[in-house]
Amino acid sequence: MTGCTGVIVVEDHELLADGLCRLIEDELGWCVLARVENGLDVYRACVMHRPALIVLDLGLPGMDGIDVIRQCVQRWPELRIIVHSASDDGERARQSLEAGAAAFVLKSSSRVTLINAAHVVMRGERFVDPAVFGIVHDPRGAPARLDPQAVEVPERLLTLRERQVLKLVAEGQRNRDIAALLSISVKTVETHRLNMMRKLDAHNVADIVKWAHRLRMMV
């Protein structure tokens, strides 16, 4: 459809995805180009469909939503991303916006809020759901400290690949499975895994799972 705003819906709950698609197509009059359920598939879907907008759930299997935002915005700076989250965690909202999302909207909010956010971000502006509180930016840019409770620390210490490996290990994937999912060699996975564990002072899978929860990567 000529001139239709193209949207990718990233949501792993079928009923929610169905509702989002109907809202986008029936109420906004835009085009849903694809539905994606796994964080690892978002980048590939963007390469294939070149959307103007992504509506993104943060709690995805395969890859943390914050990393999905960073990866996509780095490649397509003009891409607009609305985070559609079940969590009113102000820290996750702050991380989303700092990673490059244009809006943060709660799933518990009305469809009018989401529609308003969509129009706002397509005008090139930002939108934060009024129901979200506690989003704080630190203008001092304080240096990172290796504190397991400070969720900002690993964001700065770990590379994108190391974060991907962290999440996949925490989800129970083996090295060879991770290699296949990320299209890299098993040896490369092992290197990323060792570097990640060294930076986090993690000694086993249980430690990795704890870090994934501390980083809010696990639902």
Side-chain angles (χ1 to χ4, degrees):
M1 188 182 302
T2 304
C4 184
T5 300
V7 184
I8 288 179
V9 172
V10 185
E11 170 61 64
D12 63 336
H13 291 86
E14 185 176 357
L15 288 177
L16 288 176
D18 288 344
L20 285 171
C21 290
R22 285 196 298 272
L23 182 147
I24 291 165
E25 295 184 333
D26 297 343
E27 301 196 41
L28 286 168
W30 297 347
C31 306
V32 176
L33 304 175
R35 290 167 52 165
V36 180
E37 298 179 358
N38 189 297
L40 291 171
D41 296 330
V42 179
Y43 187 87
R44 288 190 285 268
C46 288
V47 170
M48 181 178 296
H49 298 286
R50 299 297 177 92
L53 174 69
I54 298 176
V55 180
L56 172 74
D57 179 22
L58 289 181
L60 299 168
M63 185 173 177
D64 183 50
I66 303 297
D67 292 326
V68 171
I69 296 169
R70 289 196 183 98
Q71 185 183 49
C72 290
V73 170
Q74 183 177 7
R75 176 63 178 82
W76 299 284
E78 299 304 315
L79 177 63
R80 312 303 289 170
I81 299 176
I82 297 175
V83 172
H84 194 225
S85 176
S87 171
D88 61 358
D89 182 351
E91 176 62 21
R92 285 295 269 178
R94 181 193 64 78
Q95 291 175 345
S96 299
L97 297 170
E98 290 189 352
F104 190 95
V105 179
L106 297 180
K107 292 181 179 180
S108 58
S109 293
S110 69
R111 71 178 188 278
V112 173
T113 301
L114 183 57
I115 290 171
N116 185 31
H119 286 302
V120 168
V121 302
M122 292 311 294
R123 293 199 303 265
E125 303 170 19
R126 280 192 161 192
F127 180 94
V128 178
D129 195 319
V132 179
F133 297 98
I135 302 173
V136 179
H137 297 271
D138 183 4
R140 299 168 299 174
R145 295 177 295 106
L146 190 54
D147 179 357
Q149 301 302 325
V151 297
E152 299 87 356
V153 170
E155 290 179 16
R156 297 170 183 163
L157 291 178
L158 300 184
T159 66
L160 176 61
R161 273 288 192 240
E162 289 164 358
R163 286 175 60 89
Q164 288 176 322
V165 170
L166 168 64
K167 180 169 174 60
L168 290 168
V169 170
E171 289 179 352
Q173 301 285 356
R174 295 168 296 182
N175 284 358
R176 64 174 177 270
D177 300 322
I178 296 172
L181 287 167
L182 300 182
S183 300
I184 57 180
S185 69
V186 173
K187 185 172 181 58
T188 300
V189 171
E190 291 170 350
T191 298
H192 289 312
R193 183 168 178 163
L194 287 171
N195 288 339
M196 172 265 293
M197 294 179 72
R198 175 180 55 79
K199 290 177 181 180
L200 299 180
D201 193 26
H203 303 286
N204 49 47
V205 173
D207 287 344
I208 292 173
V209 171
K210 289 177 183 177
W211 269 109
H213 282 285
R214 287 168 181 166
L215 293 174
R216 299 171 171 87
M217 288 183 175
M218 308 297 287
V219 179

